[in-house]
Amino acid sequence: MTALDSPPLGPVLEDLVRSHRPRTEAGSVPANIPHLQVPPFDRFGIAVATTSGEVFSSGDADLPFSIQSISKVFTLAMALSADDSGSLWSRVLREPSGTSFNSLVQLEVEHGIPRNPFINSGALVVTDHLMERSPDAAAQVLRFLTDQVGHQNGRQGPFIDEVAARSELSSSSRNLALAHFLKAFGNLRRPAQAVVENYVRQCSIMMTCVEVAKAGLFLAQDGRGAQGAVVSRSEAKRIGSIMLTCGMYDAAGEFAYRVGLPGKSGVGGGILAIVPGECAICVWSPRLDSKGNSLAGSAALADLSDRTGWSIF
Amino acid sequence: MTALDSPPLGPVLEDLVRSHRPRTEAGSVPANIPHLQVPPFDRFGIAVATTSGEVFSSGDADLPFSIQSISKVFTLAMALSADDSGSLWSRVLREPSGTSFNSLVQLEVEHGIPRNPFINSGALVVTDHLMERSPDAAAQVLRFLTDQVGHQNGRQGPFIDEVAARSELSSSSRNLALAHFLKAFGNLRRPAQAVVENYVRQCSIMMTCVEVAKAGLFLAQDGRGAQGAVVSRSEAKRIGSIMLTCGMYDAAGEFAYRVGLPGKSGVGGGILAIVPGECAICVWSPRLDSKGNSLAGSAALADLSDRTGWSIF
Amino acid sequence: MTALDSPPLGPVLEDLVRSHRPRTEAGSVPANIPHLQVPPFDRFGIAVATTSGEVFSSGDADLPFSIQSISKVFTLAMALSADDSGSLWSRVLREPSGTSFNSLVQLEVEHGIPRNPFINSGALVVTDHLMERSPDAAAQVLRFLTDQVGHQNGRQGPFIDEVAARSELSSSSRNLALAHFLKAFGNLRRPAQAVVENYVRQCSIMMTCVEVAKAGLFLAQDGRGAQGAVVSRSEAKRIGSIMLTCGMYDAAGEFAYRVGLPGKSGVGGGILAIVPGECAICVWSPRLDSKGNSLAGSAALADLSDRTGWSIF
Amino acid sequence: MTALDSPPLGPVLEDLVRSHRPRTEAGSVPANIPHLQVPPFDRFGIAVATTSGEVFSSGDADLPFSIQSISKVFTLAMALSADDSGSLWSRVLREPSGTSFNSLVQLEVEHGIPRNPFINSGALVVTDHLMERSPDAAAQVLRFLTDQVGHQNGRQGPFIDEVAARSELSSSSRNLALAHFLKAFGNLRRPAQAVVENYVRQCSIMMTCVEVAKAGLFLAQDGRGAQGAVVSRSEAKRIGSIMLTCGMYDAAGEFAYRVGLPGKSGVGGGILAIVPGECAICVWSPRLDSKGNSLAGSAALADLSDRTGWSIF
């Protein structure tokens, strides 16, 4: 797991861009989210933020994309950092889901307790939890991300694409169903509609690969972020374990097997991966495989893991 | 199936009231519907409306109760009577559900097509269908029921308990979840909230045993109601077959086995049963068995079937 | 439900044969049972045995076919007739299954208690029950059927196709899985292998349409068979209710809706239907619809129901 | 993840024994496996085999216990080492199961392809795969384990408890059901009975904590075992990822969260855990938690992880 004898990172990333920038028609885009069907499909970016303070990047690493479910890592960290009583873990489990990422079935069988914080029902509970502190949970998340990313000369920084959020909200029947279902089981405190709105706005945050890598770096350095501790060392480890077992929808096992790193993907085509003690990696390419994970992104991370020896196993 | 040699109906009903009026603590009431927990639990009424125009009744047969899911029989008949194109049957199946009456699981597996019109998801589709004709579907249903029941000197007739409906709506998270889920599958045309409101108001219609028996009589006489054909002979038969296979939640088989008649129950404690060519029966008693059907009502119908020989098998 | 004004039965049956004898390529045959793929697919027979002692038939009504799951009606009746203690109903439910006819899922959820005696797991329990009386349950069933059919000049009568049974046994992995699974739940007394062998041999009984109609007649006449009471009046009614709710695999609701009679089908292409008080009907045609029921047979029964007015609803 | 500044291992293990040796009545033993109900419940052993060749142990670390499902790690490694064509991964997936460890449901939904090699159905496929090389797969496994453990002056070494195996086989209905079910889907080549026999005999191998730790050491050192490469570096990593996501029945997420190491448990009360590059750990204590994992064993590993900083996250 040491990178001492790894090849220099800059050229490796450039080579990955050359190898994996998608040119073909392979992969799909989310049918139900119009604004995710827009970006040119040959976009491909990768960035690595190291614990020593360096940032390497290549390809379209400075183009903002919709982080979608990658936001779930950040909302989980924020919820845990404020959860002194540990009450969050009575409302959501930490086990792999073993079914498609939206499924209501599991929720029925488990009486309204989502299997983990990364399936949609679990993320709604986390958002509901965040709303206790301030009703505009999405604004909280944006502030957190901006703090982690830091000042960037002349750059925009993370922002919520409110137009995309409104569009996505209008096709959020399934998430509304989940929220009302959680409510039926007594596992949602705020109104279902308000929770789904916050959730969709968090998912509509736009960030670049460089920004996501920087924002995720606290998970590679025992919970310490750009402005001090985000979570404790112990919580940082635990978020990593949840990413590894639940971070890639129904392909968590396959990703752990091929890449060997904790990761979290979004249907916007981004993936955040963590090398504990070393770095945070963000790769982005819009086309998805059948499980909803970036096709070229997954391949590039497997390639990177092979070249650098980065793996937690 | 002939009642020629049956004992006289009046004394039989009185005897049933004596035998089955519940005195004990057996049975439960719906935990999530406050206004159904109010009525005294020793209430028990029974009424029989015959195809020859007579009405027999005994016990609390003139006290109004909340018809709840019995309304699904009437909305189905109304939807079919207006469904010249047969499009309803492309939106809902006619098969037994084999799981608890609210389950989302089946809906997920069947891609948003409810198993039958008597489970909640199926009834929401039927209500959505009725709303095409007029957005106030509950008012349509009330008008239909009032027409079937006819003038009653000094009596109130069927009415919607709007206070109860509002109360029930505030605890309708599960039905809202179902409606949004149907919407996610493209199987709901009107807004989810509006469909659930109409559905809850239909369920909150208050009727007496005598009124329900009269309103259901068209199913015993080839579709002909108080003011002419409600549905065709063929549709009347078919509604009967759906009642038999799907009318008693997850106890349809048990009810067919013990009673041998098409029936539809509601969590308000009422049951409507049909003897084709003979009569419609309504029995009411508030306490429910573990499947959600009236405990004393089911027992009384089994007893009545044994005494009269009424059974379709 | 009276047949008083029905057209004369002989010509009706001949007309049904003309209309429904399958000529086209529509329908399938069971992929996993070699000997059921052999018969010419234009075979079509129909027979009606009436409570007044007449037998009408047309088409290939005297050709023997594999009764397959129709045998489940007869084993159920035999098990009930011998079940003075009522213990059978503690081992198998009477509810529709709502899933495909072989599914293990239901069994898992219900802790080894099959939903009804007509799904394979339930039929294995019934066979196990019969084996208490005599280990060669298949021979018992054959004797019962032969008794019901009676002497037939120069005809063979029901027989077990032992060659077909052996062949079918070699592809009975799924039934063996079911049997071992029942055993794991403590719901099988005899060895799994022996129960499956008896089950397969019962299913491999060969009968003609005329013979099946005669053998099923006791269900139309309050339980009275050719040689006295097979089951009580009450049990006869109850078997009818189970046929109606569970007799046609996952198309029980559809069949009740279209035909309106208790029925039981087999993948050999036969269907037994009962008109209480009137007659037993057997139709046979090898090609099956997507639910595993005879395609032409179902259509012919719907047609017959429309022409005669026979329906229990 | 370095152990440089860890406390000395010997005293730590002794302290763990003092803290976690179970005295109370907490926890259960497998109801269906008689011979696992025998050992005194205050037994507790722990052993660590390091990549530098040392072995530390404390408590009952030299008492043999039934390794049960820990054997699945070894059979998987053996199957992969011989699987040049990669055909094993077309017969079994690598995803968490998300349901109880024996469930047939998943298998039905996934058409006979088990979710991973550590649930019973997946392990049966692995055993079937091993039987291609030699029908006595259990003897192969025993030979492999004996080779890894090496000569031990005067000690017995791993052995199959054939009496226990025969006893366990007689209550293996569920595994027989799984095997016949796999056969029905065409995913078992050898006879179901023979595969289950081999599977049960592998599970009945008796080993001490010291022996299990030594046998698992190859997973901590890039696939290199006592007598050369067992599997490639890449395969060793991958087995680790499967252990982390699927190794603890339905508590894999919880274990990853609390302990942070790849682990595999057995209902005999043993757990094997791997610290990549450092060591293999085996802990044993008979009483189990509600998920089937050793109660005291899990607690001791969480404690050890906290004290040493060992965690892959």
Side-chain angles (χ1 to χ4, degrees), chain A residues 82-234:
Chain A
D83 185 40
D84 297 326
S85 64
S87 70
L88 183 64
W89 295 127
S90 65
R91 301 177 61 192
V92 58
L93 303 176
R94 286 159 291 196
E95 295 303 323
S97 63
T99 54
S100 77
F101 64 103
N102 257 332
S103 174
L104 291 175
V105 175
Q106 196 83 54
L107 209 50
E108 171 108 50
V109 173
E110 307 259 18
H111 305 293
I113 306 295
R115 289 284 289 177
N116 65 64
F118 289 167
I119 55 174
N120 285 12
S121 54
L124 289 167
V125 168
V126 172
T127 295
D128 184 54
H129 198 88
L130 278 186
M131 289 169 75
E132 306 263 304
R133 224 189 310 179
S134 151
D136 191 344
Q140 285 182 57
V141 178
L142 187 63
R143 206 155 42 236
F144 168 79
L145 292 170
T146 306
D147 285 350
Q148 296 305 314
V149 167
H151 285 294
Q152 301 178 290
N153 292 339
R155 304 222 175 162
Q156 181 172 26
F159 64 98
I160 299 176
D161 184 342
E162 300 281 6
V163 174
R166 273 194 298 278
S167 151
E168 201 167 327
L169 191 60
S170 72
S171 61
S172 288
S173 292
R174 201 173 174 110
N175 283 327
L176 282 163
L178 286 169
H180 283 289
F181 200 42
L182 289 165
K183 193 99 185 163
F185 278 112
N187 200 8
L188 210 69
R189 291 169 189 157
R190 303 269 160 171
Q193 180 76 24
V195 174
V196 172
E197 276 175 23
N198 264 289
Y199 171 78
V200 168
R201 288 175 67 232
Q202 289 158 17
C203 288
S204 298
I205 290 176
M206 301 291 289
M207 294 174 79
T208 68
C209 287
V210 166
E211 289 165 350
V212 171
K214 284 169 136 188
L217 188 56
F218 72 96
L219 290 169
Q221 45 196 17
D222 290 347
R224 294 186 314 277
Q227 306 190 352
V230 173
V231 290
S232 69
R233 180 169 183 281
S234 160

Side-chain angles (χ1 to χ4, degrees), chain B residues 1 89 94-96 98 106 115 235 237-238 240-242 244-245 250-254 256-257 262 276 305 311-313, chain C residues 1 89 94-96 98 106 115 235 237-238 240-242 244-245 250-254 256-257 262 276 305 311-313:
Chain B
M1 219 189 86
W89 295 128
R94 286 159 291 194
E95 295 303 324
Q106 198 82 57
R115 287 285 289 179
E235 291 295 358
K237 281 173 50 176
R238 287 164 179 188
S241 76
I242 298 173
L244 194 89
T245 50
D250 195 29
E254 190 65 27
Y257 188 96
S305 167
S311 165
I312 62 173
F313 297 105
Chain C
M1 217 188 94
W89 295 127
R94 287 159 289 196
E95 297 302 324
Q106 196 83 56
R115 288 284 290 177
E235 291 295 358
K237 280 174 50 176
R238 288 165 177 187
S241 77
I242 299 174
L244 195 88
T245 50
D250 195 29
E254 189 66 28
Y257 187 96
S305 167
S311 166
I312 62 172
F313 295 106

Side-chain angles (χ1 to χ4, degrees), chain D residues 107-118:
Chain D
L107 209 50
E108 172 108 50
V109 174
E110 308 260 18
H111 306 293
I113 306 295
R115 288 284 290 179
N116 65 64
F118 289 167

Side-chain angles (χ1 to χ4, degrees), chain D:
Chain D
M1 218 188 91
T2 170
L4 289 187
D5 50 358
S6 305
L9 212 41
V12 168
L13 297 190
E14 276 168 36
D15 201 44
L16 288 177
V17 171
R18 270 191 299 275
S19 305
H20 296 284
R21 184 192 291 274
R23 292 176 209 285
T24 70
E25 293 301 303
S28 60
V29 288
N32 58 336
I33 309 184
H35 65 93
L36 295 184
Q37 298 164 24
V38 175
F41 297 140
D42 64 346
R43 292 285 162 80
F44 181 94
I46 186 165
V48 177
T50 71
T51 54
S52 58
E54 290 177 293
V55 176
F56 301 89
S57 68
S58 186
D60 302 314
D62 287 315
L63 281 183
F65 64 92
S66 183
I67 65 170
Q68 294 290 322
S69 290
I70 299 176
S71 65
K72 293 170 183 169
V73 174
F74 302 119
T75 54
L76 174 60
M78 291 171 69
L80 288 178
S81 77
D83 186 39
D84 297 326
S85 64
S87 70
L88 183 64
W89 295 127
S90 65
R91 299 178 63 192
V92 58
L93 302 176
R94 285 159 292 195
E95 296 302 325
S97 63
T99 53
S100 77
F101 65 103
N102 257 333
S103 174
L104 291 175
V105 176
Q106 198 82 55
L107 209 50
E108 172 108 50
V109 174
E110 308 260 18
H111 306 293
I113 306 295
R115 288 284 290 179
N116 65 64
F118 289 167
I119 55 174
N120 284 14
S121 53
L124 289 167
V125 167
V126 171
T127 295
D128 184 55
H129 198 88
L130 277 186
M131 289 170 75
E132 306 264 305
R133 226 191 305 179
S134 151
D136 190 343
Q140 285 182 57
V141 178
L142 187 64
R143 204 153 46 234
F144 167 81
L145 291 170
T146 306
D147 285 350
Q148 297 304 315
V149 168
H151 284 293
Q152 300 179 290
N153 291 341
R155 307 227 173 156
Q156 180 173 28
F159 64 98
I160 299 177
D161 183 340
E162 300 281 6
V163 174
R166 272 195 298 278
S167 152
E168 199 167 328
L169 190 61
S170 73
S171 61
S172 287
S173 292
R174 199 171 175 109
N175 283 325
L176 281 163
L178 285 169
H180 283 290
F181 200 41
L182 289 165
K183 193 98 185 163
F185 279 113
N187 199 8
L188 210 69
R189 291 169 190 156
R190 301 271 161 169
Q193 180 76 25
V195 174
V196 172
E197 276 175 24
N198 264 288
Y199 170 80
V200 168
R201 289 175 66 234
Q202 290 157 16
C203 288
S204 299
I205 290 176
M206 301 292 289
M207 295 173 77
T208 68
C209 288
V210 167
E211 290 166 349
V212 171
K214 284 169 138 190
L217 187 57
F218 73 94
L219 290 169
Q221 46 195 19
D222 292 346
R224 293 185 316 275
Q227 307 191 351
V230 173
V231 291
S232 69
R233 181 170 182 280
S234 158
E235 290 296 358
K237 281 174 49 176
R238 286 165 179 186
I239 294 171
S241 76
I242 298 173
M243 291 173 75
L244 195 88
T245 51
C246 321
M248 304 297 287
Y249 307 127
D250 196 28
E254 190 65 27
F255 190 81
Y257 187 96
R258 283 176 66 206
V259 177
L261 296 175
K264 183 73 204 81
S265 69
V267 290
I271 304 175
L272 168 65
I274 303 297
V275 187
E278 297 281 342
C279 61
I281 310 165
C282 178
V283 61
W284 167 59
S285 180
R287 280 190 184 272
L288 309 179
D289 61 24
S290 63
K291 300 295 176 69
N293 299 309
S294 174
L295 196 66
S298 299
L301 286 171
D303 198 345
L304 181 61
S305 167
D306 287 345
R307 294 182 192 216
T308 58
W310 287 339
S311 166
I312 62 173
F313 297 106

Side-chain angles (χ1 to χ4, degrees), chain C residues 50-303:
Chain C
T50 73
T51 54
S52 57
E54 290 177 294
V55 177
F56 302 88
S57 69
S58 186
D60 303 314
D62 287 315
L63 280 182
F65 64 90
S66 183
I67 65 169
Q68 294 289 324
S69 290
I70 298 176
S71 63
K72 293 169 183 170
V73 175
F74 302 119
T75 54
L76 174 60
M78 293 171 69
L80 288 177
S81 77
D83 185 41
D84 298 326
S85 64
S87 70
L88 183 63
W89 295 127
S90 64
R91 300 178 62 191
V92 58
L93 304 175
R94 287 159 289 196
E95 297 302 324
S97 64
T99 54
S100 77
F101 65 104
N102 258 331
S103 177
L104 291 174
V105 175
Q106 196 83 56
L107 208 51
E108 171 108 47
V109 173
E110 308 260 17
H111 306 294
I113 306 297
R115 288 284 290 177
N116 65 64
F118 289 166
I119 54 174
N120 285 14
S121 53
L124 289 167
V125 168
V126 172
T127 295
D128 183 54
H129 198 88
L130 277 186
M131 289 170 75
E132 307 264 307
R133 223 189 309 179
S134 150
D136 191 343
Q140 286 182 56
V141 178
L142 187 64
R143 204 153 45 234
F144 167 80
L145 292 170
T146 305
D147 285 350
Q148 296 305 314
V149 169
H151 284 293
Q152 299 179 289
N153 292 339
R155 305 225 174 159
Q156 181 173 25
F159 64 98
I160 299 176
D161 183 342
E162 300 281 5
V163 173
R166 274 194 298 278
S167 151
E168 200 166 327
L169 190 61
S170 73
S171 60
S172 287
S173 292
R174 201 173 174 109
N175 283 326
L176 282 163
L178 285 168
H180 283 289
F181 200 42
L182 290 165
K183 194 99 185 161
F185 279 113
N187 199 7
L188 209 70
R189 291 169 190 157
R190 301 270 161 171
Q193 180 77 23
V195 174
V196 172
E197 276 175 24
N198 264 288
Y199 170 79
V200 168
R201 288 175 67 232
Q202 290 158 15
C203 289
S204 299
I205 289 175
M206 302 291 290
M207 294 175 78
T208 68
C209 287
V210 167
E211 290 165 348
V212 171
K214 285 170 137 189
L217 188 57
F218 73 96
L219 290 169
Q221 46 196 17
D222 291 347
R224 293 187 315 277
Q227 307 191 352
V230 173
V231 290
S232 70
R233 180 170 182 279
S234 159
E235 291 295 358
K237 280 174 50 176
R238 288 165 177 187
I239 294 171
S241 77
I242 299 174
M243 292 174 75
L244 195 88
T245 50
C246 322
M248 304 296 287
Y249 306 126
D250 195 29
E254 189 66 28
F255 190 82
Y257 187 96
R258 284 176 66 206
V259 177
L261 295 175
K264 182 74 203 81
S265 69
V267 290
I271 304 176
L272 169 65
I274 304 298
V275 188
E278 297 280 343
C279 61
I281 310 165
C282 178
V283 62
W284 167 59
S285 180
R287 282 191 184 270
L288 309 178
D289 62 23
S290 64
K291 300 292 176 69
N293 300 309
S294 174
L295 195 67
S298 299
L301 286 171
D303 197 345

